[in-house]
Amino acid sequence: MSFNERPQDQPPPYGQHQQQGYGNYPLQPGFPDQPAYGVLRDNSNATIALVLGLLPFITGLLILSPFAWWKGNQAIDEIDAAPGVYNNRGMAVGGRIAGIIGTVLLILCILAALAMVLLFVVFASSSTSSG
């Protein structure tokens, strides 16, 4: 049997009914050149988003967080555009959430660094003018 011949597409002969059992599983939508049944695939952007989202918390490289947020959004858009094809939407959502949290932490670190530089400039200028 080839990929184009799917036994579930044909109604059973008159007087017979199909029982749901091993080998009889519901159809899932697929691409035109691929069969509409089988194992769902993993979206690679979802995996990349999760890795980029968790890596900053392990290594401290918070600069990767906006990229995780971006890749997570891309993966969710791809998964939602092709329902029944991908099975790792949770990884994309996790990568996006980790990217959002990391981006917020990155912004807070940048603001803290700017505040420290500003305080240093203020105290350095006040100590030279008073002394």
Side-chain angles (χ1 to χ4, degrees), residues 57-71:
F57 296 112
I58 297 169
T59 62
L61 296 172
L62 291 175
I63 195 69
L64 297 175
S65 296
F67 297 109
W69 188 357
W70 172 59
K71 281 305 225 183

Side-chain angles (χ1 to χ4, degrees), residues 67 85 108:
F67 297 109
V85 176
L108 290 176

Side-chain angles (χ1 to χ4, degrees), residues 3-87:
F3 283 121
N4 294 330
E5 300 170 9
R6 298 178 292 193
Q8 291 87 350
D9 291 344
Q10 310 290 318
Y14 182 74
Q16 296 178 2
H17 64 282
Q18 280 185 311
Q19 297 177 353
Q20 284 291 78
Y22 184 76
N24 294 332
Y25 42 87
L27 286 175
Q28 298 171 356
F31 291 121
D33 59 339
Q34 294 180 347
Y37 55 91
V39 179
L40 297 176
R41 298 182 306 185
D42 286 342
N43 188 320
S44 60
N45 281 336
T47 307
I48 292 170
L50 187 63
V51 169
L52 285 177
L54 294 178
L55 200 59
F57 296 112
I58 297 169
T59 62
L61 296 172
L62 291 175
I63 195 69
L64 297 175
S65 296
F67 297 109
W69 188 357
W70 172 59
K71 281 305 225 183
N73 284 336
Q74 272 187 347
I76 289 173
D77 290 342
E78 289 175 6
I79 291 169
D80 289 344
V85 176
Y86 300 110
N87 66 346

